[in-house]
Amino acid sequence: MSASVFPLSRRRQSSFRLGTAFRWRLVRFDARGYKFRLLLAFSLTKEQYRATLALEDERDLTVLASCEFHGTHPGWHLLATCDDIATVPAGVMIGPWQRRFPKARGNHRRVDFGVKDDVTALDAAAKFFRLHKAEGKLI
Amino acid sequence: MKDILCKAFCDQLAIRLVPAGIAVSTAFTLSGGEPLGFYVVGPDPSGRYRLEDDGTTVPTIEAMGIDLETQTRSDAIATLFAEYGVVYSPETGELSTPPMAEDLVPRRALQFVALLLRLQDLILLTPERVASTFKEDAIKAITRSLEGHATICEDQSPAAGIEYAADLLIEAPNRKPVAIFLAQTDQRVLEAVVAQMAVTYEATADCSVIALLEKDSSVSRRTRLRASNRLTAMPIYEGDEREAVQRVVREVLGHRTTIH
């Protein structure tokens, strides 16, 4: 994965770059006048998955939410902030403003990984972030 | 007591089978609330196992702005990895141990977890992480306030021959340039003072120099005294962000200008 896929901060030249342990795909889209990047990455062998949504401007990515699954402690969950988006620091991948839903040691409604290939990996993100139009195509 | 401690360490230890091998969740928790976990991968054809992380530890450290390719950090990290007998693969992004016999796995697993916890501290304590939000936020606020009114360059020296680059060098038509030093430490404020002195006494180009402090307590009283008497201005950002930015705007565009 090159640095240009998920460039968190152009000024600090920091980016989130996964290695080949993950298969990944980047979805870029516009909505309500804003640009977004959605990074999908998964490992079938370790049952790891993340779909990380970020707001994009000319300088930074602001990470808004991340839908994840970890093979070490199964359960689909979301990392996001409860506060206004404007309060989320730009250019940072993780921070104390993020909350985990549900809590890590709490009850998770879905504990089956379910991702089998590229199609099901994309489907998981598309369902959660509602990427599909009514007619079934990506926005 | 031993039984109680064993219970505390082990009660939340959980394992499950995944295609790579065994996924292990521990009682330790990462800063985001996630349990710390690792994988026992194998056995390979010779019956040996490796311990691996999930492949996000080092990418997350690098995403925090810590460049592991700089010599100092590279050496420090390499020393840390060697201490715990772990290698990092830049290709896969994974941390892993060399293959080992099954009976060595438990002891090595404790070491591997210790390493992951130390790396977690590195993520939390890095100065870049602390610095990032203030600088990013301030630059964004200043840029927005002056959009269309001035030219803004980042990391530029106020004038030729001046050693310390300002975080922002702002030029508005028919106004002298303004160099902004975003300061969280005494050292950065003193760099602004040196730049101001150099502009005043050595450089031919005129320029205002402002040190924008992150917070009231960012610098010592002595440094504040020196800087206050030498710099064009030294506004404080935290707690009064709007006025701090407006102070910069006034210096750039003139005293009667207010931009919303």
Side-chain angles (χ1 to χ4, degrees), chain A residues 28-37 53-57 64 85-86 139, chain B residues 144:
Chain A
R28 300 179 71 171
F29 61 92
D30 294 355
R32 302 180 71 86
Y34 294 96
K35 292 181 183 299
F36 295 89
R37 290 191 186 207
L53 178 72
L55 176 66
E56 179 178 8
D57 64 25
L64 302 178
I85 286 173
I139 58 172
Chain B
R144 277 184 188 151

Side-chain angles (χ1 to χ4, degrees), chain A residues 46 48 59 71 73 77 105, chain B residues 12 39 52-53 94 154:
Chain A
K46 290 184 175 175
Q48 289 281 337
R59 302 170 49 85
H73 43 284
H77 60 274
R105 301 194 193 279
Chain B
Q12 296 195 56
Y39 292 84
E52 291 184 359
D53 76 336
E94 293 168 309
E154 292 186 25

Side-chain angles (χ1 to χ4, degrees), chain B residues 205-250:
Chain B
D206 197 8
C207 181
S208 299
V209 178
I210 292 177
L212 178 57
L213 301 186
E214 181 190 19
K215 54 180 82 171
D216 196 26
S217 57
S218 291
V219 296
S220 66
R221 185 173 171 275
R222 186 177 174 81
T223 300
R224 182 193 296 272
L225 186 68
R226 281 182 183 169
S228 299
N229 291 331
R230 290 169 175 82
L231 297 177
T232 304
M234 195 166 56
I236 298 165
Y237 189 73
E238 189 181 86
D240 199 12
E241 291 85 353
R242 182 182 155 79
E243 286 308 311
V245 171
Q246 282 300 325
R247 178 67 187 88
V248 171
V249 170
R250 284 200 299 277

Side-chain angles (χ1 to χ4, degrees), chain B:
Chain B
M1 176 58 81
K2 186 182 177 186
D3 289 345
I4 300 170
L5 288 171
C6 283
K7 188 174 165 60
F9 276 102
C10 297
D11 261 9
Q12 296 195 56
L13 190 76
I15 65 168
R16 64 189 285 267
L17 293 176
V18 293
I22 301 168
V24 184
S25 176
T26 73
F28 298 106
T29 302
L30 303 175
S31 62
E34 298 285 355
L36 186 151
F38 64 94
Y39 292 84
V40 182
V41 177
D44 64 16
S46 60
R48 297 191 298 174
Y49 294 83
R50 288 190 321 275
L51 304 177
E52 291 184 359
D53 76 336
D54 62 5
T56 64
T57 309
V58 172
T60 302
I61 291 173
E62 290 183 321
M64 302 311 285
I66 306 170
D67 183 0
L68 298 186
E69 289 176 5
T70 61
Q71 193 61 44
T72 309
R73 283 186 183 129
S74 175
D75 291 348
I77 293 284
T79 303
L80 193 61
F81 289 171
E83 184 183 335
Y84 288 91
V86 167
V87 292
Y88 169 64
S89 164
E91 185 187 344
T92 67
E94 293 168 309
L95 293 168
S96 66
T97 64
M100 69 191 81
E102 186 174 3
D103 59 348
L104 290 177
V105 168
R107 188 162 59 86
R108 295 299 306 278
L110 286 174
Q111 293 175 334
F112 195 70
V113 168
L115 172 67
L116 294 178
L117 286 169
R118 285 186 72 177
L119 292 173
Q120 177 71 14
D121 284 347
L122 187 65
I123 293 171
L124 291 175
L125 298 178
T126 178
E128 285 83 350
R129 181 173 187 272
V130 177
S132 64
T133 305
F134 160 63
K135 287 197 172 183
E136 295 289 327
D137 291 351
I139 289 173
K140 194 170 278 185
I142 292 168
T143 305
R144 277 184 188 151
S145 293
L146 289 168
E147 200 168 15
H149 298 274
T151 307
I152 301 176
C153 297
E154 292 186 25
D155 300 322
Q156 285 239 334
S157 175
I162 294 179
E163 184 182 354
Y164 301 115
D167 290 287
L168 298 174
L169 186 62
I170 309 173
E171 286 191 68
N174 305 315
R175 300 280 303 172
K176 65 179 175 182
V178 178
I180 310 292
F181 286 72
L182 302 172
Q184 296 166 295
T185 61
D186 278 33
Q187 183 188 334
R188 189 60 176 154
V189 174
L190 292 172
E191 288 175 4
V193 172
V194 170
Q196 176 76 79
M197 304 294 275
V199 166
T200 307
Y201 298 112
E202 296 173 21
T204 51
D206 197 8
C207 181
S208 299
V209 178
I210 292 177
L212 178 57
L213 301 186
E214 181 190 19
K215 54 180 82 171
D216 196 26
S217 57
S218 291
V219 296
S220 66
R221 185 173 171 275
R222 186 177 174 81
T223 300
R224 182 193 296 272
L225 186 68
R226 281 182 183 169
S228 299
N229 291 331
R230 290 169 175 82
L231 297 177
T232 304
M234 195 166 56
I236 298 165
Y237 189 73
E238 189 181 86
D240 199 12
E241 291 85 353
R242 182 182 155 79
E243 286 308 311
V245 171
Q246 282 300 325
R247 178 67 187 88
V248 171
V249 170
R250 284 200 299 277
E251 192 59 34
V252 172
L253 300 180
H255 282 275
R256 293 185 179 178
T257 310
T258 301
I259 294 175
H260 299 282

Side-chain angles (χ1 to χ4, degrees), chain A:
Chain A
M1 181 187 289
S2 75
S4 62
V5 174
F6 210 71
L8 287 165
S9 170
R10 287 183 173 84
R11 179 173 180 274
R12 282 187 289 124
Q13 297 184 320
S14 63
S15 59
F16 185 62
R17 286 191 292 170
L18 293 167
T20 55
F22 285 85
R23 282 185 67 78
W24 61 271
R25 179 172 183 172
L26 185 73
V27 180
R28 300 179 71 171
F29 61 92
D30 294 355
R32 302 180 71 86
Y34 294 96
K35 292 181 183 299
F36 295 89
R37 290 191 186 207
L38 180 63
L39 174 65
L40 279 66
F42 66 94
S43 161
L44 293 180
T45 57
K46 290 184 175 175
E47 297 196 347
Q48 289 281 337
Y49 181 94
R50 69 185 309 145
T52 303
L53 178 72
L55 176 66
E56 179 178 8
D57 64 25
E58 68 278 6
R59 302 170 49 85
D60 305 309
L61 294 182
T62 303
V63 175
L64 302 178
S66 192
C67 174
E68 300 182 356
F69 186 99
H70 308 296
T72 48
H73 43 284
W76 286 92
H77 60 274
L78 176 73
L79 293 175
T81 181
C82 295
D83 215 334
D84 192 277
I85 286 173
T87 65
V88 180
V92 188
M93 200 69 188
I94 57 172
W97 53 90
Q98 291 169 337
R99 295 285 178 269
R100 190 191 193 279
F101 307 98
K103 287 191 170 147
R105 301 194 193 279
N107 183 49
H108 291 70
R109 284 188 295 175
R110 291 190 301 136
V111 294
D112 178 35
F113 185 47
V115 175
K116 296 177 176 62
D117 50 28
D118 293 358
V119 175
T120 48
L122 181 59
D123 274 351
K127 275 181 194 161
F128 185 82
F129 288 107
R130 298 182 184 177
L131 296 181
H132 291 305
K133 288 180 176 176
E135 57 269 36
K137 294 176 182 173
L138 279 174
I139 58 172

